[in-house]
Amino acid sequence: MTDKVLMACRECDALQWAPWVPRGQKVRCRGCGATLYHQPRGGLDRPIALLLGALFLYVLANSFPLITLDIGGAVRETSLVGTSWALYQHDMKLLGLLVFFTSLAIPGMILLSTLYVLTGLRWQLRLPGLRQMLVLLSHIHPWEMADVFVVSILVAMVKMSGMADVIIDAGLYALIGYILLGVAASASMDVFVLWQRLEKMPDHQVPAGLKQ
Amino acid sequence: MKKPPRARSLGLASCDICRQIVRLPNSPSIRLKCPRCGGTIHSRITHSLSRTWALLLASMILYVPANVYPVMKNTYLGAESDNTILSGVVLFLKEGDWVLALVIFTASIIVPLLKMVSLLYLLMNVRKAPHERRARQQTILYRVTELVGRWSMVDVFVIGILTALVQMGVISTVEPGIGAMAFGAVVVLTMLAAISFDPRLIWDRDLT
């Protein structure tokens, strides 16, 4: 790989040649000190392993109820999709959709498309749409809120503990595990490094007429 | 150490998505595509300030109904009660649940307010030329604002979870209120406002 990359800082736009550092190191902007990029320690294998684990737990979290409420024998449980469905049914269609996308659909999309991109880069496969996936990822990232959802479940549990018995179900454990693995996976990746790798892939298709 | 030049002053721009350095065209009306990822290149986000202002003002307006109208209607053994965001916090305080009151208070009152105030502060100061140290602080303020924004969704999710769970017929039911809709909109609008703000504008002034 090249030993230097021309970069402009995201924060202050300072143009500089950033050294291509070995694994486990990060490069800071010479103008403002913000991190330009970091070279993850575990290469691509680590995030792939973590995301496969996360995918397994994500499937489990969606297959089982999260919590069960018991008020004097009257029992009711909810799942991830059940929460947005409840809002949707109670005449809050937009809010239900917002909850559906932020707590379930976008986390799932990010999980699958990240795995797809990493697989292509790791085994040098020219999978279709690698570039588009990576673009999509950088757009939808702020809207992933599964971690916020877990905190909300804990808040709701305490809120109801006064008037009912609250039982934690398998889905909640799986969801917490999924989030921990997901956080570890994103800490072991840097999108800029992924773009560099994609560019260095043999036969990487540059859109016609744009090469300088 | 000599300070590095700004990409823009050399007629270059960095792709927002993949960070490829690209030479800007002479005419600003030409839409340039990134050679690596295909995204549109902006030296700065187009109309960043007016966009941020518009989204911020919209969220401030909606913040009023979000707090005035009930976010949740609770029926318990025939007795109905309307809950606003603030009354939820007060309820926890009355029950002596300090930790939870603090979590809710932070997520649903402090975070949205802090976001709006700090975006307002950034928007009003972005044209003034301060010290470099101040510019650095403003950049950090922006990053924190951008990062914590999603946590105000806690309230919306809690309302959803309670609506799904507490449907026990005559014993107790929970229905979402119209305030929840407004609050959800506030969260989305403040997040969009933060995304539209271009932190590079902070450094575009003559720093002393």
Side-chain angles (χ1 to χ4, degrees):
Chain A
M1 290 221 168
T2 40
D3 53 347
K4 271 184 178 178
V5 206
L6 188 60
M7 288 182 92
C9 174
R10 281 249 155 111
E11 316 291 344
C12 71
D13 206 28
L15 190 72
Q16 55 209 296
W17 285 99
W20 193 250
V21 291
R23 285 181 179 185
Q25 289 186 26
K26 63 162 72 165
V27 183
R28 290 185 177 282
C29 169
R30 289 200 288 128
C32 71
T35 303
L36 286 177
Y37 77 95
H38 80 276
Q39 191 75 262
R41 190 166 291 147
L44 292 179
D45 290 345
R46 188 178 296 185
I48 290 175
L50 288 167
L51 285 176
L52 282 175
L55 180 63
F56 178 64
L57 290 174
Y58 176 83
V59 173
L60 287 184
N62 278 292
S63 317
F64 294 100
L66 299 170
I67 45 174
T68 303
L69 191 66
D70 184 341
I71 306 183
V75 178
R76 217 179 147 88
E77 57 186 34
T78 192
S79 56
L80 266 174
V81 72
T83 303
S84 41
W85 183 234
L87 286 172
Y88 195 85
Q89 276 183 318
H90 283 83
D91 234 24
M92 294 272 161
K93 292 201 166 58
L94 275 175
L95 207 60
L97 284 176
L98 180 67
V99 171
F100 175 76
F101 278 105
T102 51
S103 68
L104 200 157
I106 293 181
M109 263 160 73
I110 289 183
L111 196 54
L112 289 176
S113 49
T114 311
L115 264 176
Y116 185 81
V117 170
L118 289 174
T119 307
L121 292 179
R122 170 65 179 80
W123 285 281
Q124 303 277 304
L125 304 170
R126 276 195 291 139
L127 300 173
L130 275 185
R131 207 162 52 93
Q132 287 85 341
M133 287 287 193
L134 214 45
V135 172
L136 178 78
L137 276 172
S138 64
H139 282 303
I140 61 177
H141 234 281
W143 304 98
E144 189 268 320
M145 300 191 193
D147 48 350
V148 182
F149 191 85
V150 166
V151 172
S152 311
I153 293 179
L154 302 180
V155 170
M157 280 168 60
V158 183
K159 221 166 177 162
M160 290 177 299
S161 60
M163 61 167 197
D165 291 327
V166 184
I167 302 139
I168 302 176
D169 293 319
L172 185 56
Y173 292 114
L175 190 63
I176 292 171
Y178 149 74
I179 283 157
L180 294 177
L181 289 182
V183 168
S186 39
S188 64
M189 277 186 291
D190 185 298
V191 181
F192 174 71
V193 174
L194 296 186
W195 277 112
Q196 291 296 115
R197 279 180 182 268
L198 184 65
E199 190 170 50
K200 306 247 152 50
M201 235 166 89
D203 295 314
H204 166 65
Q205 292 293 314
V206 172
L210 284 169
K211 197 80 187 160
Q212 294 196 355
Chain B
M1 190 160 59
K2 201 172 145 279
K3 272 209 306 187
R6 322 289 311 286
R8 182 178 221 180
S9 59
L10 297 175
L12 299 172
S14 170
C15 171
D16 290 336
I17 292 167
C18 75
R19 313 188 71 172
Q20 170 78 44
I21 301 293
V22 184
R23 179 159 298 282
L24 287 168
N26 296 325
S27 152
S29 59
I30 299 173
R31 273 165 66 94
L32 189 67
K33 293 270 179 209
C34 172
R36 179 155 65 182
C37 72
T40 310
I41 303 277
H42 317 97
S43 171
R44 299 291 178 268
I45 297 173
T46 330
H47 306 305
S48 166
L49 295 182
S50 26
R51 249 194 244 195
T52 312
W53 269 116
L55 291 161
L56 181 62
L57 287 178
S59 69
M60 286 166 118
I61 292 165
L62 280 167
Y63 191 63
V64 177
N67 280 282
V68 171
Y69 289 114
V71 290
M72 213 164 71
K73 277 192 183 71
N74 188 8
T75 319
Y76 189 63
L77 296 173
E80 257 187 58
S81 61
D82 281 345
N83 295 287
T84 59
I85 291 171
L86 200 62
S87 77
V89 178
V90 174
L91 197 71
F92 279 124
L93 274 181
K94 274 190 190 151
E95 289 170 3
D97 222 326
W98 284 94
V99 182
L100 212 65
L102 202 68
V103 170
I104 301 273
F105 186 69
T106 311
S108 42
I109 295 170
I110 300 271
V111 170
L113 271 180
L114 215 66
K115 260 185 96 164
M116 289 188 240
V117 170
S118 61
L119 280 175
L120 204 62
Y121 168 81
L122 288 171
L123 282 171
M124 296 204 294
N125 285 283
V126 78
R127 300 245 189 248
K128 297 177 193 158
H131 305 294
E132 194 176 313
R133 196 163 54 90
R134 178 72 66 76
R136 193 159 299 169
Q137 286 166 355
Q138 288 179 357
T139 312
I140 293 170
L141 177 70
Y142 170 72
R143 282 298 165 211
V144 172
T145 306
E146 197 192 24
L147 215 72
V148 298
R150 32 206 295 287
W151 287 96
S152 28
M153 272 295 274
V154 165
D155 241 352
V156 175
F157 286 150
V158 168
I159 294 161
I161 294 162
L162 292 181
T163 307
L165 280 176
V166 189
Q167 296 299 336
M168 306 297 195
V170 284
I171 310 171
S172 183
T173 55
V174 163
E175 299 255 336
I178 192 71
M181 196 77 215
F183 190 77
V186 170
V187 179
V188 172
L189 286 170
T190 48
M191 281 181 71
L192 288 174
I195 292 170
S196 322
F197 185 82
D198 195 329
R200 291 169 295 194
L201 293 172
I202 297 171
W203 299 83
D204 277 352
R205 307 162 288 190
D206 301 316
L207 299 177
T208 48

